[in-house]
Amino acid sequence: MSTELRALVEAHSTAYAAFGKSVHERGGGSRGQDRASREEEKALLAICAYPAAGESDRLAKARYLLEIEVRGELDLPEQMQALLRSTMWKG
């Protein structure tokens, strides 16, 4: 996995953990939860949009996104659009 994709995955994992923590914390308020949710969505969208050119990046990206999809969390139209656009060659 490339350093760039690894950084995106780590950023999403961190944002996902922060969102989970905000959901379980009492007194965090819905604003904190909303912010954490937006950060997690933004980080996931960055992975969807990442143009994985090499074989190892394509496999790593696909495996990671399949894990997310199994949890039912890859369901926004923006995510699908970014994912599809990321597969188009820019020449």
Side-chain angles (χ1 to χ4, degrees):
M1 183 184 318
S2 68
T3 352
E4 187 176 358
L5 182 56
R6 186 178 318 279
L8 292 172
V9 167
E10 289 173 4
H12 177 256
S13 295
T14 300
Y16 186 78
F19 174 63
K21 186 177 179 183
S22 75
V23 168
H24 296 305
E25 282 182 350
R26 296 183 191 262
S30 64
R31 278 191 233 174
Q33 201 171 325
D34 289 345
R35 186 179 67 245
S37 175
R38 284 191 304 274
E39 289 300 315
E40 186 273 335
E41 286 176 10
K42 181 180 169 184
L44 183 55
L45 192 58
I47 294 172
C48 290
Y50 178 75
E55 181 72 17
S56 62
D57 268 6
R58 284 194 303 271
L59 288 173
K61 178 180 173 177
R63 285 184 181 123
Y64 189 77
L65 290 177
L66 283 169
E67 289 175 17
I68 303 300
E69 195 278 329
V70 165
R71 298 190 308 235
E73 298 170 2
L74 190 62
D75 56 355
L76 298 178
E78 307 86 63
Q79 294 165 337
M80 187 54 60
Q81 290 167 5
L83 183 57
L84 292 171
R85 284 189 180 112
S86 78
T87 65
M88 299 170 71
W89 293 104
K90 294 178 173 95

